[in-house]
Amino acid sequence: MIQETAAIETGCSLSDHDSSYKLLFSHADMVRDLLEGFVKEKWVGQLDFSTLERVSGSFVTDDLRDREDDVIWRVRWGREWLFVYLLLEFQSTVDWTMSVRIAAYVMLLYQDLVKSGMVKRQDRLPAILPVVLYNGKRPWNSALDVAELIRSIPGGLDHYRPRVRYLLIDLVRYHDTKPTAKHNLVMALCQLEKSKTVEDVHKVVKQLIVWLQAPEQSSL
């Protein structure tokens, strides 16, 4: 993980950096810490994290299957499933069309859930939380909801303007990062992204060594 963080400064391939993030967020602990630490809403406390499971890509269409860097999880929210769509892209520039892409991916996921039979005819569609992880140098200033990019037309047409919002996590500029005070792996990852010196990195690594002592955490 430290090597991949350093890759940005040394000019190594960002695809390697993206792949390391995909591996990190293939662990349920990372997804749990992301939801508990970064989604400041009451419903998160109602999630049953013991049910967290990675959604198989075997049922998705070619459009989503090509999204190799994305990770989809689901977790029980009472009797319902909540799907967490993690868009794992780390680009040097802000993508002003990100909300359009997110809206397309969310609709494709709904379509695939229906086609696969995971959602039956009499069922309601599950909630989806789209998350974009960003570690670029410039502050993110792109629209967080596709509705913000669509021209507002008076006279009732505004009712038909689609609204799909995503959660942006800016790893470099997240301010509530206190890995020494909170046992949160994603916050520690933020601290690594913000590290300016080797000493800064060592402080976080020492904390991670303490957190990840259990045998079942060896792969993480």
Side-chain angles (χ1 to χ4, degrees):
M1 184 165 60
I2 300 172
Q3 292 175 344
E4 297 301 338
T5 302
I8 297 179
E9 298 180 357
T10 58
C12 296
S13 171
L14 281 176
S15 62
D16 294 336
H17 190 240
D18 293 353
S19 297
S20 69
Y21 272 85
K22 180 180 179 180
L23 289 175
L24 282 173
F25 286 96
S26 296
H27 292 268
D29 287 347
M30 293 291 292
V31 179
R32 180 202 64 214
D33 284 0
L34 183 146
L35 291 172
E36 288 186 329
F38 294 81
V39 183
K40 309 297 186 180
E41 297 174 9
K42 292 181 179 180
W43 59 264
V44 175
Q46 302 169 1
L47 298 177
D48 181 1
F49 288 106
S50 67
T51 66
L52 257 178
E53 62 178 1
R54 180 88 176 269
V55 176
S56 171
S58 60
F59 70 88
V60 299
T61 63
D62 290 339
D63 293 317
L64 277 183
R65 191 174 296 115
D66 289 340
R67 300 289 312 158
E68 296 178 353
D69 290 332
D70 297 351
V71 181
I72 303 174
W73 286 80
R74 69 175 185 172
V75 60
R76 281 284 185 185
W77 182 14
R79 295 183 178 181
E80 307 293 333
W81 285 105
L82 168 73
F83 284 76
V84 181
Y85 190 118
L86 298 178
L87 183 64
L88 301 181
E89 288 193 355
F90 300 90
Q91 51 205 37
S92 58
T93 58
V94 176
D95 184 357
W96 72 273
T97 67
M98 182 60 74
S99 58
V100 177
R101 295 168 54 197
I102 287 291
Y105 298 150
V106 168
M107 292 304 111
L108 284 171
L109 180 54
Y110 276 135
Q111 176 179 287
D112 293 342
L113 291 173
V114 172
K115 283 186 175 181
S116 68
M118 294 184 71
V119 177
K120 307 299 182 183
R121 183 182 181 89
Q122 67 276 11
D123 296 338
R124 300 288 294 271
L125 293 171
I128 295 177
L129 173 65
V131 181
V132 174
L133 301 179
Y134 177 65
N135 68 347
K137 294 181 179 179
R138 295 178 56 190
W140 188 267
N141 59 4
S142 181
L144 300 180
D145 193 317
V146 68
E148 299 174 27
L149 297 182
I150 301 174
R151 186 188 305 276
S152 180
I153 303 178
L157 277 177
D158 193 60
H159 294 300
Y160 305 100
R161 182 167 52 170
R163 290 171 173 82
V164 178
R165 189 175 184 85
Y166 62 91
L167 172 65
L168 175 77
I169 298 179
D170 190 331
L171 297 173
V172 177
R173 277 161 286 271
Y174 191 75
H175 298 299
D176 189 26
T177 306
K178 300 177 182 178
T180 56
K182 299 179 181 180
H183 186 149
N184 189 294
L185 296 171
V186 183
M187 288 187 177
L189 183 60
C190 287
Q191 197 69 19
L192 284 176
E193 288 286 2
K194 295 171 66 174
S195 296
K196 302 293 185 182
T197 67
V198 174
E199 290 74 17
D200 293 337
V201 173
H202 284 173
K203 291 178 182 178
V204 184
V205 172
K206 288 179 181 179
Q207 189 68 61
L208 288 171
I209 290 173
V210 175
W211 291 354
L212 300 176
Q213 289 183 343
E216 63 270 17
Q217 296 175 318
S218 59
S219 61
L220 180 57

